[in-house]
Amino acid sequence: MSEDYAPMWESLGMDLQAHDALLGVLGQGYRDIYLAQKNRPEGMGYFDFVMSEVHGLRIKELLDEKKQNRKIIGSYCVFVPEEIALAGGATLVGLCSGADFAVEEVEKHLPRNTCSLIKSSFGFKLGRVCPYLESADMIVGENTCDGKKKAYETFAGMVDNLYVMDLPQVKSSQGHSLLKAEYERFKTAVEKLTGNKITVESLKEAIKVVNAKRAALHRLATLRKADPAPISGLDALLANQVFFYDNPARFTESVNKICDELEMRIKENQGVFPSKTPRILISGCPMAVPNWKLPWIIETSGAVIVGEESCVGERGTRNLTEDSGQSLDELMEAITDRYFKVDCAIFTPNQDRSDHIVEMAKAYGADGVIHYGLQFCQPYIMESIPVENKLEKLGIPCMRIETDYGMEDVGQLKTRVEAFIEQISD
Ligand code: BJ8
């Protein structure tokens, strides 16, 4: 890191010793997994920098924004509309939850058989190691899966600024009305937090900013259809992860810059892996920073990842928000329409998701799909069986993996992944 940020972290009430240990592991993991890759696009240098300053410069920027009276809102789910936060003059940051921390302490509050993502969110709070969490003026929890829903009841006793958003579970007209009502309630809460009234102009502008971020990722995704793949899945995943906490305009510009470079690579028939390398689509639970285990295993086993059907990926970003509305109500309706299309496995039935997986597998020329389920995540693990059946019927090989954030199963996973890659290479 370029500066001594210890006083800043201390001012946030963080545990410096534990935080140093976390950064040590994160830095080592990043070097071993990311910097060890060959032939990366030069534009990834920006993301390397972002990662090297993930708890430094970006936090300093957020604290500077706070000094200017801007509020920071932390979120754990792609159902929390960034458009509304931005329109109210707040900054939205994703709270990662991609690594185990303070597990013993966490298991005093949560059952052992809780998914790693939820445990991680508790661990970062209990261990006082996440400066994003500690900088947030409001933390939004959402009633999605049962695990999260119940965990937030306990989490409410650990932070004094938790806002819980209710979400529908069925894609019916009643479900749509519930989502819209919840977004109206969130809009009021943001206005109260920031002291700013959301206007047609501010909401339109915010929609434009968030759409531009998503459009840049669409451009990146489209370029990954090329063979040889111009960028690794690991690097593309990183861009999707940084989407959640970088400055929006800077992020858009940086992704577009990489896309310019990738277009040149494609013209020159250059790739990160040789042409005809087996192509994998990953589908399932979100992979938050620094959860890079499975992509790393796949891409060091002779395959390339060409797409992510995930909230940290295409499920989270594929739809844009219509911005032609002329009134607040029309724009709020458009926001609701946009988010209502997110096909998270908490919805029942959830046919759209399996259709989208098939669509992605075809569009990206995937030779096979690896379904990634976090252990104890009922919604995604349950869905993985019909998803596998559907894919197999269509002749698309699929492998289901259940894992957690630990490294104990790396050897076993690698063996299974290698066998799958061999199978789809024939
Ligand atoms: S919209 S996927 S970000 S809820 S892995 S905590 S589902 S038990 S993360 Fe998610 Fe929003 Fe849905 Fe996306 Fe529960 Fe499963 Fe754990 Fe999960």
Side-chain angles (χ1 to χ4, degrees), residues 365-406:
D367 299 299
V369 174
I370 294 189
H371 191 284
Y372 164 74
L374 273 176
Q375 234 169 32
F376 311 121
C377 168
Q378 282 191 348
Y380 282 91
I381 293 174
M382 288 265 190
E383 273 196 5
S384 70
I385 298 171
V387 162
E388 180 182 47
N389 290 341
K390 179 167 181 159
L391 289 168
E392 297 281 350
K393 255 191 213 143
L394 293 167
I396 305 169
C398 175
M399 178 170 71
R400 292 187 286 123
I401 278 180
E402 253 182 72
T403 183
D404 57 15
Y405 290 169

